[in-house]
Amino acid sequence: MNAMEPPEASMAFSAGKLSDKSEVTVDIVVPDNWHVNANVAADEFLKPSSIEIAARGIEFGEPKWPEPIKEYNEVLEFENLVFKGHFQIKIPVKAVADGYDTLTTNATFHYQACDNSICLAPASVDIRIGRNAGSLKKNDKGNGAGLNGSAGDAQGLNNAAGNDGSAGQGGLAGKEGAAAVALLLFFAFIGGIILNLMPCVLPVLSLKLFSLIKQAGQSRSRLVALGISTTAGILASFWALAGIVAAIKAGGGAAGWGMQFQSAGFIAFMVVILTAFAMSFFGVFEVWLPGSATTRMDAAGHKVGLVGAFFTGALLVLLSTPCSAPFLGTAMGFAFTASTPVLFLFFTAAGLGLALPYLLVCAFPAVLKVFPKPGKWMVILQKAMGVLLLATVAWLLWIVNQQTGNTGVVLFLGIVLVSGVFSFIIGKFAPPGVAFWREAVLFAAAAIALATGWFAFAAPQYEKVLSDRFNARMAQQVLEDGWYRYSPQLVAEFAKAGRTIFIDATADWCLTCKANEAAVLSDPALLQKLDSAGVVRMKADWTRETPEVNELLYSMGKSGVPAYAIYPKGDKGKQVVLPELLTSGLILEAIP
């Protein structure tokens, strides 16, 4: 009864090109029957309201507060100055530097709440562009900035695109806003294309290569149908991921690109699927359908049929998302803070980009003539593809080892063994042509056995070891080779000392992260130059989700890892975000 929910808060820039004539409107809604002290306290024991705001490349002027309400307090026996209900704070833009980014705008509203009988301890609420602590009620009066987050979404979209469009009256407005949408959608599309070349996708190239070879010699119409089916599988997986993200956001959680690899259950599922697919490539068993539908499937996607092409696309997405590609990180950084329809729109654009090479090959089958005609060599190649799929399983086991050591690896090797055994049993007792119920029963038995073993035995042990090791790692302030573990408090300490900070947001399951670390961030020459320049090196570990790394990625306009940033002299307001693919030159050029 003696508590107040935090006030709803949102903010948005004024419409038009950002300049020293622009301003930020901060909307605050105080719950009914409560008030907050005005920005000027009526008595020395009352805490006045205040607001802090910062953004990269933007200097703000003094806030313009509304006229306070004079209200006599019978308990305190004097006239107090308060704000009630919905009110606005106007903050002018004083100066704009090159390379500014309004997406990094962060504000903190400090307040003390009181009712007619009690005053609470001072508190604060953080406000972000595109992901605010609250939004205006639909019946509130005002200029509409921040309604349902749409103004914030529009502004964040314009900022990420590098220009500022109109963000007023509840949504995108004007040609610049539309251009920003188109530009970021193009980024998502290009990022999807580049995703085909990222290290995270390389272990599953076998799925794509074998599928293309098997398609050689098909009619053009058949190839187009296969391409469309593969695209449908890709889009279905992207939409499923978008739905999960939307559900997490609706529940108040934080979501990011590649987040499924933070789940031990997802890794276990992929280990089972890939092991079974490899066994199918080796000819241990085949998935088949009865009657006229006996089109044989090897579920790794090398089947010529439309269903196999669909599964190829779906699986490709699941295995290609642990890392963020260039352009894709910028686009998804906005999409993950946007409304659900916009989120689905961006995931669709990325999916079409990922599918484009397959659509082009199927539309122009002459490309497939570079492959020799089908023959015995394909049997050998099929087994080689199985080896590559097992290499993908080994990569997943490497992720497990990074997180839990030998204990986790032993548990997951048990999963691999059970999957392999059931593959042999299915191949022995349910080959193509026998009673179909055998196959159905054995697959059901395999699923039940694996699920029971995971949830009743493996998962509890794995989670305990994982939590213990992760907590021990998080307790370390100084990591290996002079790297510090990222924390906002440590950033603040080095900022006071005027030290430039380089931040590496990474995860054990991110191959692009590991490639950058091996090729660039472990280079002795680079490390020596950074140390000579007094640069503090920090690692933000996103192997498991943590609120502080979620906030860091959000401030960088990123939705996943890898992500890199430099704070000149520790100043977060001058944050320099680097591309996903690093070079030593890019890092050194960004250091003042």
Side-chain angles (χ1 to χ4, degrees):
M1 294 177 61
N2 294 328
M4 184 191 85
E5 291 293 326
E8 296 182 1
S10 62
M11 65 178 172
F13 283 81
S14 54
K17 186 73 174 179
L18 190 68
S19 69
D20 56 8
K21 295 181 175 57
S22 302
E23 66 179 6
V24 175
T25 298
V26 178
D27 284 273
I28 306 292
V29 180
V30 180
D32 295 338
N33 302 320
W34 290 88
H35 63 259
V36 297
N37 297 326
N39 59 306
V40 178
D43 195 278
E44 62 181 3
F45 67 84
L46 293 176
K47 176 75 172 179
S49 293
S50 63
I51 190 165
E52 300 173 354
I53 188 168
R56 185 173 66 201
I58 304 174
E59 183 180 353
F60 296 94
E62 291 297 320
K64 299 176 183 178
W65 295 82
E67 189 71 22
I69 300 171
K70 295 180 179 180
E71 185 176 81
Y72 184 78
N73 190 302
E74 295 181 357
V75 176
L76 300 176
E77 296 184 345
F78 68 81
E79 191 174 63
N80 196 9
L81 301 176
V82 303
F83 296 134
K84 304 175 72 173
H86 168 221
F87 64 93
Q88 293 183 329
I89 308 166
K90 304 283 188 177
I91 306 175
V93 174
K94 190 174 180 181
V96 180
D98 293 338
Y100 72 90
D101 186 356
T102 49
L103 186 62
T104 64
T105 305
N106 296 330
T108 303
F109 175 60
H110 302 274
Y111 65 93
Q112 183 181 31
C114 305
D115 63 8
N116 292 328
S117 60
I118 188 173
C119 282
L120 305 179
S124 63
V125 60
D126 292 330
I127 315 168
R128 302 287 188 268
I129 287 290
R131 189 179 71 185
N132 304 320
S135 60
L136 295 184
K137 299 176 182 177
K138 292 184 179 179
N139 59 0
D140 282 332
K141 296 180 180 179
N143 68 353
L147 281 173
N148 296 325
S150 55
D153 287 351
Q155 189 62 41
L157 185 56
N158 295 328
N159 300 333
N163 52 26
D164 283 76
S166 302
Q169 300 301 329
L172 294 170
K175 295 181 178 179
E176 292 186 0
V181 176
L183 180 58
L184 277 185
L185 282 173
F186 180 69
F187 282 177
F189 179 73
I190 295 297
I193 296 175
I194 297 176
L195 204 58
N196 285 283
L197 305 176
M198 297 301 290
C200 300
V201 182
L202 295 181
V204 291
L205 277 177
S206 58
L207 296 178
K208 297 183 285 185
L209 177 61
F210 201 88
S211 177
L212 292 176
I213 294 173
K214 293 281 282 185
Q215 291 170 14
Q218 296 287 320
S219 67
R220 183 164 186 169
S221 61
R222 177 66 170 170
L223 288 172
V224 170
L226 290 168
I228 293 174
S229 184
T230 301
T231 302
I234 289 173
L235 291 177
S237 276
F238 266 109
W239 291 336
L241 290 175
I244 293 172
V245 171
I248 292 173
K249 289 172 59 181
W257 185 257
M259 63 186 176
Q260 68 271 24
F261 280 84
Q262 295 172 339
S263 167
F266 174 81
I267 296 177
F269 172 76
M270 294 309 300
V271 165
V272 170
I273 292 297
L274 290 175
T275 300
F277 287 177
M279 294 299 102
S280 177
F281 267 63
F282 293 143
V284 172
F285 77 100
E286 291 181 89
V287 179
W288 57 280
L289 298 175
S292 60
T294 54
T295 306
R296 294 183 178 179
M297 298 172 62
D298 45 33
H302 68 278
K303 174 192 162 200
V304 181
L306 299 180
V307 176
F310 180 90
F311 283 117
T312 297
L315 184 62
L316 181 62
V317 173
L318 294 178
L319 289 171
S320 66
T321 53
C323 300
S324 176
F327 295 102
L328 190 64
T330 299
M332 290 304 177
F334 162 73
F336 274 70
T337 64
S339 61
T340 298
V342 174
L343 176 70
F344 273 83
L345 181 62
F346 273 75
F347 269 66
T348 300
L352 291 175
L354 181 62
L356 182 63
Y358 314 107
L359 287 173
L360 290 177
V361 168
C362 293
F364 302 99
V367 176
L368 296 175
K369 292 182 179 179
V370 297
F371 297 110
K373 294 181 178 180
K376 292 183 178 180
W377 67 273
M378 293 191 68
V379 177
I380 299 174
L381 180 61
Q382 178 173 323
K383 289 180 169 50
M385 298 299 102
V387 172
L388 290 179
L389 285 179
L390 289 181
T392 307
V393 174
W395 166 56
L396 293 174
L397 293 178
W398 174 79
I399 293 175
V400 169
N401 182 65
Q402 291 288 102
Q403 298 184 37
T404 59
N406 293 335
T407 301
V409 172
V410 170
L411 290 173
F412 273 77
L413 282 175
I415 295 173
V416 172
L417 178 62
V418 173
S419 300
V421 168
F422 268 104
S423 296
F424 278 100
I425 292 174
I426 293 171
K428 174 74 172 176
F429 295 101
V434 302
F436 179 69
W437 65 265
R438 291 190 185 181
E439 183 181 39
V441 168
L442 288 174
F443 269 109
I448 293 172
L450 287 165
T452 302
W454 172 253
F455 289 108
F457 177 72
Q461 292 193 50
Y462 185 88
E463 285 298 328
K464 183 181 183 304
V465 175
L466 178 60
S467 296
D468 291 344
R469 287 174 62 98
F470 187 77
N471 291 337
R473 183 193 300 183
M474 294 298 287
Q476 294 178 317
Q477 187 178 68
V478 181
L479 305 177
E480 68 280 0
D481 301 328
W483 288 84
Y484 289 85
R485 182 184 65 81
Y486 169 80
S487 72
Q489 296 77 14
L490 195 57
V491 169
E493 290 180 17
F494 282 117
K496 289 180 181 178
R499 299 280 299 276
T500 294
I501 302 171
F502 172 70
I503 297 178
D504 168 21
T506 182
D508 289 341
W509 38 260
C510 171
L511 279 181
T512 307
C513 303
K514 298 304 179 184
N516 283 336
E517 290 171 10
V520 179
L521 297 181
S522 60
D523 181 7
L526 172 64
L527 297 180
Q528 183 178 5
K529 291 179 181 178
L530 293 177
D531 293 341
S532 299
V535 176
V536 177
R537 294 176 274 129
M538 287 190 183
K539 283 189 177 181
D541 192 345
W542 206 52
T543 300
R544 300 198 82 183
E545 181 187 353
T546 60
E548 58 185 14
V549 180
N550 288 343
E551 288 296 328
L552 171 66
L553 292 173
Y554 176 77
S555 73
M556 297 165 66
K558 300 294 184 180
S559 62
V561 291
Y564 308 99
I566 292 175
Y567 296 164
K569 297 184 178 179
D571 188 352
K572 293 189 291 185
K574 297 180 180 178
Q575 181 191 75
V576 179
V577 179
L578 301 176
E580 286 84 355
L581 297 181
L582 280 181
T583 65
S584 297
L586 285 172
I587 298 173
L588 296 174
E589 288 175 7
I591 295 175

